[in-house]
Amino acid sequence: MSALTFTLKHRTAQRVDMSPLVCHLLKELKVADIAALTLQSGKHKLRVDELFTIEGSDAQNIVIKNSVDNLDFIGKELDGGCISVSGDAGAYLGFGMKAGELKVSGNAGLYAACEMKKGYLEIAGNTGDFLGAALPGNKMGMKGGTVLVKGNAGERVGDHMRRGNILIEGNAGDYCGSRMTAGTIAVMGQTGRYLGYAMHRGTLLLWTQPQLSASFNDCGAHTLAFLPILFASFKSLNSRFADVSSAFNRVQRYAGDMSETGHGEVLVRIA
Amino acid sequence: MFIKLTGGTVYDPASGVDGQQQDIYIQDGRIVKKPTEDVKVDKEYDLKGKVVMSGAIDMHTHIGGGKGNIARTLLPEDHRNDPVHRSDITRSGCGHAMPSSFVTGYRYAEMGYTAGFEPAVLPINARQAHMEMADIPILDKGGYVMMGSDDYLLRMLTAKKDQKAINDYVAWTMHAAKAIGVKVVNPGGISAFKFNQRKLDLDEQNAHYGVTPRDILRVLATAVKEIGVTHPLHVHGCNLGVPGNMQTTLDTIQGIGGLPMHLTHIQFHSYGTEGDFKFSSGVAEIAEAINRNKNITIDVGQILFGQTVTASGDSMRQHANHKHGSPNKWVTMDIECDAGCGVVPFKYKDKNFVNALQWAIGLETFLLVDDPWRIFLTTDHPNGAPFTSYPHLIRLLMDRSFRNEVLSTIHPEAQKMTTLASIEREYTLQEIAIMTRAGAAKLIGLKDRGGLSAGNWADITIYTDNNDRQKMFEKPDYVFKDGQLVVVNGKVVSTKWGTTHVVRPDFDPSVEKGLKDYFDRFLTMKLGNFKMSDDEITEDGRGSITVHPLNGDVA
Ligand SMILES: [Zn+2]
């Protein structure tokens, strides 16, 4: 069986809600049934085969080709199986994802990995604001799983994050790790202003010295035995995070945000 | 258009009709007498075997005003999880605990309600409250203006101004805010909170003004009576939610000295301190005091299990309650030095001892207060539960075996602390009609609503009798609003706009002299802008104002 492949015929003027096209919802369906499903686009409902040419039949292995940045909710609540996107993805990529693998070859929009629970999400390009965050008003962001971004991430990475790993090879914007309750965010590039704003707990692992608020306290230089174990867990990734030369165990440790409980930590590599 | 409703079983306590078969005639929006000559009936409804009541009136429901919008902003999930699509005749909206204004109107109408009264209109935000209620379709509405922690009144009390001056100020404020009643919330306590007091007992002085809640209640209850407002002073007392507050409530009843007073959401004010958890039901004594004191009316503020949000002017108590917020987020704020606001989401759980006993306390209150004309069916929407839970509440009141079934599932320690299982009373349809219709109209002073005799507006709800009272009350067959058929089989079939009910007590116009100086010196708004004009409600062509008579007026 070959991968169930949706090739976008043309870009629509309005955004498209892609949430019906996930492995667990399609696995019992025949291709003709899938073609007849409807997708909400602005005020209209469009048949899947109006928007996409469909090939293949293995719903555990979905490919979205010619994807563009107004296809929202790709991989929503994905519960096992693989989705691979060639091109860009819109907002809410992997929203509430529960298991499986989701990969995007281009960029992703706002709120990627929003309230993600488990599984693996990889974005080869850049991603927008609120990566791994909670929906507005909700108190819990990403709760588990791993997100890898090879490019840059926008502002508010991991807002209200509870657990899991967010790995960013490029830069992260302002308010990285804001209101975090727990979990790990690793950034190889630069970070912006207000790093760890109102974080309770959790770890921000950085390769370059950030601009820290006054509410973070310098706790000195440390050699941390858990870091080699953490890096070892990245070994299987197709990423610079898997590279042995990236690993380190000597860090400057800062505790904060002292305007919250102050149990969070910012670890900065000592070269 | 001449409409005949034929052969229904009518429950109209306002004219003493208790389950008799009667025909009802409607012309030009009102109920009319049986025509003497042959008048052509344009439309006849065969209601044989159906139950006919007037449209229900919710006399205490938070449907307009700033705190609703704060709750909406605080709880986007309440809206995401409950979207309502538009139809050809209804608009889209959303929300479970605090629905959008349009959805509020549709859902009330679909349960057979035709009027709702917002009990906490802050004078300075009255415009916003009325504008929001103007967007609630189908329902009639009105508001009780909130006083008692306003700086101007407290200054008057400190300066020992005479009752006449206070009467003028109260009457003027009712005009300015387009109100039909006067409400007081934690009298003086909202103000005291700003002077770092975290509780204020009935006889405790506000640290800044040196006045006590007892003083404030007396002077306002006297004012309401003397200026001739039918609706008694609407009181949200001191110490809401505090174990042991039953004594405060008993003292409040005693302290008002026979003046008319309405105690709202009394469930939250009927707690003792007995038992292992130092939390118990004080209903036996409270109900006895209510039965004895005919000047007192109450509404219950029943809690029902599930997610809701509490929105109150009582910033002092809401600040204390924020620890129990679920989900854990909350807002407490001052409003222009004149009032407060606290919004705390709550999830009432049947397996939580306190919540379970609160549930039982509310039901005990319903069942132990004898006179249905002096007790009203509320959940203090949305504070105890969203108004959409009323049919469930009615079933709990009318069906003892159902009540005991639910009782057997709540926290076992709470079951031991309530007498509920031994109470045999079941509400009758007539008693439900009194609480939710005739009694409410009488309490608020609506001259031509809440009854089915000729001359009343044709607000009429028709149900199919069903032993499952929840099913019966959640899906009326027909609802007429001002003679227009708006609901069929529990679904809105047409919409219209209700009126805004007000009263206009007299005052000495010279009251504005002192007020103008005060506004110029202290407030963010000029006196002229503070006062609402009728046009603001009526000029869009949808809204209208209905002025009700004062006590002593010739009807
Ligand atoms: Zn209330």
Side-chain angles (χ1 to χ4, degrees), chain B residues 108-396:
Chain B
Y108 258 119
E110 288 177 345
M111 294 192 313
Y113 275 72
T114 51
F117 289 81
E118 162 58 52
V121 175
L122 308 183
I124 207 148
N125 284 344
R127 184 168 283 107
Q128 190 275 337
H130 283 292
M131 294 300 120
E132 189 174 355
M133 289 194 280
D135 259 357
I136 297 176
I138 303 173
L139 296 193
D140 284 357
K141 48 253 165 177
Y144 314 141
V145 70
M146 196 165 133
M147 305 184 74
S149 275
D150 44 323
D151 180 52
Y152 195 80
L153 178 77
L154 296 174
R155 282 167 187 259
M156 289 177 94
L157 293 180
T158 310
K160 306 248 182 291
K161 294 273 177 159
D162 62 13
Q163 184 70 43
K164 168 77 176 61
I166 297 197
N167 293 358
D168 283 335
Y169 172 55
V170 171
W172 177 86
T173 306
M174 290 188 78
H175 273 254
K178 304 275 173 256
I180 195 164
V182 179
K183 161 109 175 280
V184 56
V185 172
N186 190 350
I190 302 169
S191 160
F193 183 74
K194 297 170 211 169
F195 298 101
N196 291 322
Q197 289 170 283
R198 290 295 172 264
K199 68 167 198 34
L200 195 69
D201 281 326
L202 190 62
D203 290 310
E204 195 173 347
Q205 286 193 347
N206 177 306
H208 183 75
Y209 299 94
V211 294
T212 67
R214 190 190 290 265
D215 302 334
I216 296 168
L217 288 172
R218 264 202 197 219
V219 85
L220 283 177
T222 305
V224 167
K225 182 168 183 235
E226 290 186 359
I227 62 180
V229 173
T230 304
H231 186 49
L233 180 66
H234 194 103
V235 177
H236 157 148
C238 318
N239 291 331
L240 177 141
V242 179
N245 62 11
M246 58 180 286
Q247 196 53 49
T248 314
T249 307
L250 294 170
D251 292 345
T252 305
I253 293 173
Q254 188 268 327
I256 207 69
L259 289 166
M261 177 168 67
H262 179 85
L263 294 173
T264 187
H265 43 66
I266 199 157
Q267 178 275 127
F268 291 108
H269 301 266
S270 304
Y271 305 150
T273 52
E274 283 161 30
D276 295 345
F277 298 94
K278 302 274 171 267
F279 183 73
S280 59
S281 165
V283 176
E285 283 173 72
I286 300 270
E288 204 215 306
I290 293 161
N291 290 337
R292 218 175 34 234
N293 291 278
K294 311 289 183 208
N295 57 317
I296 303 296
T297 54
I298 60 160
D299 66 88
V300 174
Q302 177 68 35
I303 73 135
L304 294 161
F305 304 119
Q307 179 71 55
T308 192
V309 59
T310 65
S312 170
D314 192 344
S315 36
M316 177 186 268
R317 292 305 312 152
Q318 288 293 74
H319 177 261
N321 282 335
H322 81 259
K323 306 190 275 296
H324 310 296
S326 172
N328 176 21
K329 43 187 176 177
W330 54 281
V331 175
T332 299
M333 63 193 288
D334 167 59
I335 314 274
E336 304 262 347
C337 295
D338 268 351
C341 171
V343 178
V344 184
F346 257 71
K347 191 169 187 184
Y348 294 107
K349 298 188 184 106
D350 56 358
K351 299 295 185 272
N352 170 299
F353 168 75
V354 172
N355 296 165
L357 195 53
Q358 286 178 300
W359 176 86
I361 287 169
L363 293 175
E364 286 178 9
T365 309
F366 274 113
L367 298 166
L368 296 178
V369 170
D370 299 333
D371 182 359
W373 290 92
R374 293 197 289 121
I375 182 170
F376 301 92
L377 185 139
T378 66
T379 55
D380 192 17
H381 163 79
N383 294 331
F387 64 82
T388 41
S389 54
Y390 287 168
H392 173 77
L393 176 54
I394 291 173
R395 186 173 181 203
L396 288 168

Side-chain angles (χ1 to χ4, degrees), chain A residues 115 135-139, chain B residues 76-77 80 327-329:
Chain A
E115 300 185 11
L135 280 176
N138 284 7
K139 299 282 284 181
Chain B
E77 66 271 30
R80 285 195 286 267
N328 176 21
K329 43 187 176 177

